[in-house]
Amino acid sequence: MAQLNFGGVVENVVTRAEYPLTKALETLKDETIAVIGYGVQGPGQSLNLRDNGFNVIVGQRKNSKSWDKAVADGWVEGKTLFDIEEACAKATIIQYLLSDAGQISMWDTVKKHLTPGKALYFSHGFGITYKERTGIIPPADIDVILIAPKGSGTSLRRLFLEGRGLNSSFAIHQDATGRAYDRVISLGIGVGSGYLFETTFQREVYSDLTGERGTLMGAIQGIFAAQYQVLRENGHTPSEAFNETIEELTQSLMPLVGENGMDWMYANCSTTAQRGALDWWKKFRDASLPVFKELYAEVACGNEAQRSIDSNSQPNYREKLNQELKELRDSEMWQAGVTVRSLRPERSK
């Protein structure tokens, strides 16, 4: 394990250079990895593991769209694709990648197969951190580990196919076998991580829930909507408002920020843009800071987790969700986006 120094803050990290794929394969050569769930993270992680040469199977509910997707991705019923319970029985490592609500509902089924020496793997700290609310309490004689890619399963797969990696956090909640570290790092390398940085289940879920509600999704949508509305109210067309609010950010600026940092972006834009950005960023920070503090407090006390559990366990959850998503989809801003995206020039082949 290497250490990185971030301005005096030292973090433990693992790279593929110091823990190569060959070592990961050797570590898990006698293991059977069952990826339970084929929704957000399941496809990317299982396909990357398979392509990297690990012994991996998929467990999914039969007669579901996800089952059909797994078949389309090359998983073979009775050989590498099984119902959830059969996959759990065959596995030495169970990657529990159902949704948080799905993990709660399937826990009694999965728990039966957590025999001594097995490993239970998560990509989200929710179930363990909020165990009083979820009821997910693993037996003491298994390893409980976490690899959390910092992005969607789609991005994990896309970057893997491009020969790159998506950074992931790792955590060990329970080391019953003495092999939890090698197991978790091997799996992190296997699923296609860029580098692995150390965390805990609690820190992972606190940061993840804050990020999803904040700059990753909730806050950014709110900022988009506010700026778009102000531009439209002042006579700008939908195309102009969308391009200035979203298209320029996502297609031009953010890729460069990702490559070089915001400081580089500031240094390489016009002097007018520099002046405005430097004058206004602290105002936006100060305006949003109380909201982020409230958000983090709600995450830490468990209120956000409970709201998620209560909402996602309702029988009409999917119907209500689709209504809320339709409101976003049908808004003028995102309808403008459909048109703008359709006019992007195709890359030359």
Side-chain angles (χ1 to χ4, degrees):
M1 187 182 298
Q3 289 187 328
L4 293 182
N5 192 319
F6 295 92
V9 178
V10 177
E11 288 191 31
N12 293 324
V13 301
V14 180
T15 69
R16 288 185 280 186
E18 62 188 288
Y19 208 106
L21 179 60
T22 52
K23 183 176 180 179
L25 287 166
E26 176 64 22
T27 298
L28 300 183
K29 65 180 180 180
D30 297 322
E31 304 263 24
T32 298
I33 305 162
V35 175
I36 306 302
Y38 210 74
V40 176
Q41 283 288 336
Q45 293 199 31
S46 61
L47 291 170
N48 290 358
L49 284 165
R50 184 179 72 183
D51 289 354
N52 269 332
F54 293 86
N55 181 22
V56 58
I57 61 177
V58 170
Q60 180 56 38
R61 298 177 184 89
K62 286 189 175 182
N63 302 316
S64 66
K65 291 182 180 178
S66 295
W67 177 279
D68 294 340
K69 176 174 170 50
V71 172
D73 285 343
W75 303 99
V76 179
E77 182 175 358
K79 293 184 178 180
T80 56
L81 177 62
F82 306 90
D83 65 37
I84 289 175
E85 190 152 8
E86 188 173 0
C88 287
K90 290 178 176 293
T92 58
I93 298 173
I94 296 174
Q95 292 195 196
Y96 206 23
L97 300 184
L98 296 170
S99 67
D100 295 325
Q103 288 182 13
I104 294 170
S105 66
M106 289 299 298
W107 176 241
D108 288 341
T109 298
V110 172
K111 187 177 180 180
K112 291 186 300 184
H113 299 284
L114 294 174
T115 51
K118 286 193 176 186
L120 180 62
Y121 165 115
F122 294 86
S123 284
H124 192 23
F126 191 100
I128 295 294
T129 300
Y130 301 115
K131 60 182 180 297
E132 293 85 0
R133 301 168 188 267
T134 65
I136 296 177
I137 303 174
D141 52 9
I142 67 165
D143 294 340
V144 181
I145 54 181
L146 174 145
I147 292 292
K150 296 298 104 182
S152 69
T154 300
S155 297
L156 183 73
R157 181 61 175 167
R158 181 183 299 129
L159 289 172
F160 176 86
L161 293 174
E162 293 174 359
R164 298 190 289 158
L166 190 66
N167 297 333
S168 303
S169 59
F170 76 93
I172 299 172
H173 177 71
Q174 200 166 273
D175 183 4
T177 67
R179 297 187 293 117
Y181 175 82
D182 281 322
R183 276 173 148 177
V184 74
I185 298 302
S186 297
L187 289 163
I189 298 299
V191 301
S193 302
Y195 78 89
L196 298 157
F197 60 95
E198 193 172 21
T199 188
T200 66
F201 274 63
Q202 184 186 84
R203 279 169 30 209
E204 191 284 328
V205 73
Y206 282 14
S207 61
D208 191 67
L209 293 185
T210 299
E212 289 168 349
R213 288 148 180 77
T215 59
L216 300 180
M217 296 175 70
I220 199 69
Q221 164 62 19
I223 291 171
F224 284 164
Q227 179 171 303
Y228 183 90
Q229 179 179 329
V230 168
L231 291 174
R232 290 288 288 121
E233 287 174 349
N234 283 276
H236 299 271
T237 65
S239 180
E240 186 170 45
F242 186 87
N243 274 279
E244 198 61 46
T245 300
I246 297 168
E247 190 76 353
E248 185 174 355
L249 174 71
T250 58
Q251 299 303 300
S252 175
L253 301 186
M254 290 314 294
L256 293 175
V257 172
E259 292 173 10
N260 304 295
M262 186 64 81
D263 55 331
W264 184 92
M265 175 57 65
Y266 275 30
N268 287 274
C269 63
S270 72
T271 55
T272 302
Q274 286 175 350
R275 185 69 269 143
L278 290 168
D279 287 344
W280 279 88
W281 81 262
K282 291 181 181 178
K283 294 182 181 181
F284 281 105
R285 177 200 63 190
D286 294 344
S288 61
L289 189 58
V291 180
F292 277 98
K293 288 183 175 180
E294 177 188 0
L295 166 57
Y296 193 87
E298 287 292 285
V299 169
C301 74
N303 285 347
E304 281 298 305
Q306 193 61 54
R307 274 192 283 271
S308 178
I309 292 169
D310 292 344
S311 172
N312 297 349
S313 61
Q314 297 298 314
N316 61 346
Y317 160 71
R318 184 61 59 180
E319 179 183 344
K320 288 184 175 180
L321 172 66
N322 287 335
Q323 290 174 353
E324 292 181 278
L325 293 176
K326 186 177 185 298
E327 180 184 352
L328 276 180
R329 184 170 60 250
D330 291 348
S331 68
E332 183 190 271
M333 180 173 71
W334 289 114
Q335 285 300 304
V338 172
T339 301
V340 171
R341 288 192 296 276
S342 72
L343 296 174
R344 289 176 188 162
E346 292 186 11
R347 293 190 179 122
S348 58
K349 296 180 181 179

